[in-house]
Amino acid sequence: YIWENSSVDKHKDEATGCYQLYVEGKPRVLNRRKHPRLSMNNKCDILLRAKDATFMGNIVNISAGGFAFVCMAEEFARATGEIVRVTIHDFELLKGKQLTGIIIRSSNDNGTYIVGCRMPEDNMAILEYVKDRVKE
């Protein structure tokens, strides 16, 4: 993240070795992603292997290396590191086949969990599909 307006000051108690960071406004995000992402809004079924339970959600983006979905199931609040299998509805490329991912982050947005997943290996078919649809 890069903030245009920021400053760093030593904490009042200099003996602690602490600093205070002051920022204003929203940050600019540097893109660390290896592959382009395609925004989506497709319904999906999410199998959370650790719970042996399936939940309904929506895929919000996909790339050759991962995907993100939103879901209201509280089981995703502390699911970082867990394995999921996602079936994306109405996604012609996969034709109902599941994607496997490892949850790398889960954010709670007022009871809606935004969950980011990394796939075990890059999917070159998804890479080509996304490249054909994303204008960078």
Side-chain angles (χ1 to χ4, degrees):
Y1 297 100
I2 297 175
W3 279 270
E4 297 299 325
N5 299 314
S6 63
S7 64
V8 177
D9 292 325
K10 276 196 161 191
H11 191 270
K12 288 183 262 182
D13 180 8
E14 291 187 30
T16 64
C18 294
Y19 295 85
Q20 290 182 319
L21 174 64
Y22 299 96
V23 295
E24 290 182 32
K26 291 187 176 183
R28 188 165 39 99
V29 179
L30 291 177
N31 190 353
R32 299 171 303 171
R33 295 177 177 145
K34 179 164 89 170
H35 302 295
R37 289 191 176 265
L38 177 67
S39 293
M40 300 178 72
N41 188 23
N42 294 48
K43 293 198 178 309
C44 63
D45 300 319
I46 308 144
L47 171 65
L48 182 57
R49 205 168 97 182
K51 300 282 184 184
D52 195 28
T54 301
F55 305 91
M56 293 291 298
N58 275 58
I59 289 288
V60 294
N61 66 50
I62 193 166
S63 78
F67 52 88
F69 61 85
V70 295
C71 184
M72 296 184 70
E74 196 172 313
E75 285 82 352
F76 292 100
R78 292 166 296 285
T80 301
E82 299 293 342
I83 296 172
V84 293
R85 298 194 197 290
V86 174
T87 304
I88 304 170
H89 299 206
D90 303 316
F91 187 42
E92 68 269 13
L93 178 70
L94 296 180
K95 297 180 176 124
K97 293 180 186 170
Q98 289 184 333
L99 289 178
T100 299
I102 299 166
I103 298 174
I104 58 172
R105 73 177 83 54
S106 179
S107 304
N108 183 353
D109 183 18
N110 296 316
T112 298
Y113 296 92
I114 306 162
V115 182
C117 302
R118 182 182 63 241
M119 294 190 293
E121 55 189 48
D122 292 345
N123 184 313
M124 293 302 111
I126 292 175
L127 175 64
E128 292 307 316
Y129 181 88
V130 171
K131 277 184 173 179
D132 289 345
R133 286 157 180 80
V134 171
K135 307 297 179 233
E136 295 185 51

